[in-house]
Amino acid sequence: MTDPTRPRMRWYTLLWVLLLSLFIPLGILLATTALAEHEFRAVAVSLGATLLIIGLILLLLALSRRGALESLYARRGLKAGLAVTALFTASLVIPSEASLPRKDIRRFTTGTQAYDASTQPGNEIFTQIEKKQASSDKDVMTFSIFDVCVGKVSHRVSRDGEVSPNRVEVINPGILTQKLKADAKALGADVVGITELDPRFVFQKDNEGNPVRLKHRYAIVLGKGLDYKLSHPTAPLPWQSLYSSIPEEVAAVLSGRQVQTATQIPEETLNEYRETLEFFSDGGRTAVELASLIRSYGYPARAHFGRWSEVQVVPLAIMAGLGELGKNGMLVNPAFGPRGSFPIVTTDLPLIPDRQVDLGIQEFCRACAKCADACPPRAVPQGDPALVNGLLRWQVDGTKCFSYIKTNPKCMACVGACPYNKKDYFVHRLAVTAIARKSRVMNWLMLRLDNLLGYGARSVRVGQEARKTLVRVPQ
Amino acid sequence: MLNLKVNFQMKWYEGLLWAVEIGLVAFGLWALVDTLMISCSKAAWRFLLLFLIWALPGAAVLVFFRPGRNAQDNA
Ligand code: SF4
Ligand code: SF4
């Protein structure tokens, strides 16, 4: 029997309880996700918030049972709170941020046909090449500084090859496209997108200064995400005082040329370098193997990766629907943010291309500047985008970036600081979907939440500490 | 003044079942946290689910069955 003297719960109190209850599973999900990412501040904040919400619900229930919410002020307060919450929720989903005009690469870009890859900033360090004559005359093995570091032969030699004389007849390009995407994933790609190879994005000269001859119809863009735990600056300590000499020592140890170093390099630092360099090397392997598979179908195919690319990666990846260009100059993918590597396979195999996507990432970048704040040499611009090659975008100062990377090859401050740099978990996918609504309030909220949870804080801190060192150490 | 009065009584085998239930849930939570720490989110939730499923029959016994008067007298 219900107690007739006990006040009944009002509809608006019940609504408040239900509304607050929604945040309990969200808080638990966020806490467990953060635990999987080893983001302990985020775990503490989300668990604390969940407990606070549970406390609030219990308080509401207790007050309601005692009839303490029956006063005029309390009733009006609860109703007004509901109205404000409804308005706030609406403002989160109603698009209020103007879409960036000139996002469509196909329509607006003026292209980079005359681009000479040998003039890319940083070419002088990344292609310090050692050529070795292998057993076969044709097989010139090429080592880049990265390959020396990880002790791996570059895949460059296998980028292209003989096409099988038995050409497979393609009856249904749609099914073939699906199969090829599945094959690419089996070979190690996390995401795959296909686009027509726009000749505006084919280089005139490769990074050794040789003319590029590439007339393939399609580009298959393979996206691989670096392990989340590696996507932050690795500073070989004590880098504050010995800034420029340590990376060479790390390289020497990784390549096995040196065992003892003048400065004790922590094992963790060495491992972070090794795993990161292996990741970038592995992207090339996936592209080389996919190209070889396509050639076995009787169609030409060539792999492009790292400095061995003959095409512009970022515009092709955007056209293939793999993300948007962020303020930090990286392609930001919804699954792994800016920590991706995008090897490409160009081919004549008939395929169905994907479409460019608009996820509101560039609009979010307008509200955010974490990468610019974290970048030690201030290579990432602050403020609004400018018109570059017909597109509205932020232009990273490549010369500043690479002159810094010479002394610290695994900088990544702009990657680690980015709010999109998360593991591909459900709760983060929710956030990406929410940001795609292009609401100013949502962008503001997400950015504040990201800061409160402490994501990217380490990268911003290390980046800013390194910036102070740059002022002290003459370059 | 807060006046707490807690009074409960159970058979030794009920206590044992409670201990088993609490142990299973604690194991599930530990498996959840431990598996999350190696970043296997899906496996973590499945581990928790596995232990909760194991705890279900015992929980059903605790909820739906009480020792009868005879058992209370005999034990
Ligand atoms: S210097 Fe570091 S933070 Fe700045 S753009 Fe280059 S990689 Fe990013
Ligand atoms: S840190 Fe912020 S501004 Fe920079 S790329 Fe990421 S979202 Fe955009």
Side-chain angles (χ1 to χ4, degrees):
Chain A
M1 283 283 285
T2 46
D3 182 357
T5 56
R6 184 181 292 168
R8 290 215 335 261
M9 190 187 276
R10 306 268 179 180
W11 64 267
Y12 41 82
T13 316
L14 185 69
L15 213 58
W16 266 116
V17 170
L18 291 177
L19 207 67
L20 288 171
S21 310
L22 285 181
F23 288 94
I24 298 174
L26 202 65
I28 293 173
L29 201 62
L30 189 57
T32 51
T33 302
L35 194 61
E37 292 166 325
H38 292 204
E39 296 285 352
F40 298 112
R41 184 186 153 131
V43 177
V45 171
S46 40
L47 276 184
T50 310
L51 289 178
L52 196 74
I53 286 168
I54 294 174
L56 265 177
I57 293 174
L58 293 177
L59 185 73
L60 264 181
L61 290 175
L63 289 176
S64 157
R65 274 169 78 105
R66 285 192 189 173
L69 301 178
E70 293 300 311
S71 73
L72 188 66
Y73 283 129
R75 285 191 340 234
R76 280 195 182 158
L78 284 173
K79 283 183 194 166
L82 274 182
V84 171
T85 311
L87 282 178
F88 183 68
T89 313
S91 73
L92 289 178
V93 288
I94 295 172
S96 48
E97 176 76 82
S99 277
L100 222 63
R102 298 183 160 262
K103 256 189 175 186
D104 187 342
I105 296 248
R106 263 173 231 272
R107 280 180 56 208
F108 294 120
T109 191
T110 49
T112 47
Q113 196 169 19
Y115 196 76
D116 179 351
S118 62
T119 62
Q120 290 179 90
N123 216 37
E124 69 286 1
I125 51 164
F126 285 106
T127 48
Q128 280 172 7
I129 294 164
E130 298 178 8
K131 284 186 178 169
K132 284 195 179 176
Q133 203 68 30
S135 49
S136 142
D137 277 353
K138 279 191 216 154
D139 197 7
V140 179
M141 293 195 288
T142 311
F143 294 87
S144 73
I145 185 169
F146 279 156
D147 302 315
V148 172
C149 289
V150 290
K152 273 194 174 183
V153 178
S154 161
H155 311 288
R156 184 188 177 227
V157 68
S158 322
R159 283 179 53 227
D160 208 340
E162 299 246 320
V163 178
S164 163
N166 306 317
R167 180 170 274 207
V168 170
E169 191 190 347
V170 179
I171 298 163
N172 188 333
I175 291 178
L176 179 68
T177 303
Q178 280 178 15
K179 183 203 170 306
L180 208 71
K181 284 184 175 179
D183 287 340
K185 286 184 180 168
L187 289 171
D190 295 328
V191 289
V192 187
I194 295 170
T195 180
E196 276 154 6
L197 180 58
D198 191 324
R200 288 177 299 172
F201 301 123
V202 177
F203 292 160
Q204 200 180 46
K205 285 186 183 166
D206 69 12
N207 81 110
E208 285 183 314
N210 303 319
V212 171
R213 284 182 199 86
L214 187 68
K215 296 261 182 273
H216 292 157
R217 278 181 67 195
Y218 297 103
I220 306 165
V221 188
L222 313 163
K224 282 170 78 102
L226 177 69
D227 196 342
Y228 176 73
K229 75 176 190 323
L230 297 169
S231 58
H232 57 79
T234 297
L237 296 168
W239 46 278
Q240 282 95 339
S241 51
L242 293 153
Y243 213 72
S244 59
S245 66
I246 298 292
E248 279 83 358
E249 292 223 312
V250 173
V253 174
L254 288 175
S255 64
R257 290 175 175 183
Q258 193 175 335
V259 181
Q260 284 291 323
T261 52
T263 321
Q264 188 63 37
I265 304 168
E267 195 59 31
E268 194 190 342
T269 303
L270 283 175
N271 284 340
E272 285 205 356
Y273 269 92
R274 183 178 287 120
E275 287 176 38
T276 309
L277 299 173
E278 277 175 354
F279 162 77
F280 285 107
S281 173
D282 203 46
R285 177 197 56 77
T286 304
V288 161
E289 287 177 5
L290 189 70
S292 147
L293 178 75
I294 295 173
R295 288 196 299 272
S296 75
Y297 296 160
Y299 293 86
R302 189 179 297 172
H304 307 261
F305 49 89
R307 295 271 148 176
W308 311 122
S309 185
E310 293 166 1
V311 292
Q312 268 231 315
V313 173
V314 174
L316 290 176
I318 295 174
M319 278 163 62
L322 294 189
E324 285 186 42
L325 185 65
K327 191 180 267 184
N328 57 7
M330 315 260 174
L331 188 86
V332 179
N333 177 273
F336 43 73
R339 60 176 195 282
S341 144
F342 295 90
I344 288 181
V345 173
T346 54
T347 181
D348 277 340
L349 186 70
L351 295 166
I352 306 286
D354 294 297
R355 290 214 181 130
Q356 184 173 344
V357 289
D358 186 354
L359 298 164
I361 295 173
Q362 290 193 306
E363 287 73 13
F364 183 77
C365 285
R366 271 174 154 177
C368 168
K370 285 179 87 169
C371 49
D373 292 340
C375 176
R378 297 186 204 274
V380 180
Q382 298 270 0
D384 273 341
L387 211 57
V388 182
N389 277 340
L391 282 176
L392 258 186
R393 51 169 288 201
W394 290 271
Q395 179 81 46
V396 172
D397 188 332
T399 313
K400 268 190 190 172
C401 171
F402 280 108
S403 60
Y404 175 71
I405 280 182
K406 271 186 211 168
T407 59
N408 192 343
K410 189 172 170 288
C411 170
M412 288 201 170
C414 57
V415 174
C418 180
Y420 279 95
N421 178 38
K422 302 274 186 330
K423 275 188 164 237
D424 187 17
Y425 286 140
F426 173 71
V427 66
H428 297 318
R429 287 251 164 174
L430 272 185
V432 170
T433 313
I435 289 173
R437 295 292 311 159
K438 294 191 189 170
S439 148
R440 267 174 197 238
V441 187
M442 177 65 87
N443 288 353
W444 174 87
L445 183 73
M446 286 296 161
L447 196 56
R448 293 291 164 281
L449 202 60
D450 197 67
N451 290 338
L452 179 72
L453 294 171
Y455 280 101
R458 177 182 170 189
S459 297
V460 175
R461 182 174 45 77
V462 174
Q464 288 179 348
E465 276 176 25
R467 186 180 297 157
K468 287 184 208 149
T469 320
L470 284 182
V471 178
R472 275 209 303 275
V473 180
Q475 293 296 295
Chain B
M1 179 105 168
L2 189 68
N3 193 5
L4 266 184
K5 194 174 165 193
V6 182
N7 187 7
F8 65 88
Q9 199 183 353
M10 65 173 78
K11 296 284 159 205
W12 66 269
Y13 46 84
E14 274 186 290
L16 198 64
L17 190 53
W18 269 109
V20 169
E21 288 300 290
I22 292 168
L24 280 173
V25 174
F27 259 128
L29 289 175
W30 172 76
L32 175 84
V33 171
D34 204 46
T35 320
L36 282 174
M37 290 298 284
I38 54 163
S39 303
C40 294
S41 184
K42 255 187 201 161
W45 288 110
R46 284 183 188 177
F47 262 129
L48 177 67
L49 202 64
L50 176 79
F51 281 99
L52 291 184
I53 289 170
W54 277 344
L56 271 182
V61 170
L62 283 175
V63 171
F64 295 112
F65 301 98
R66 299 258 151 223
R69 190 171 288 276
N70 276 352
Q72 280 185 17
D73 295 341
N74 296 339

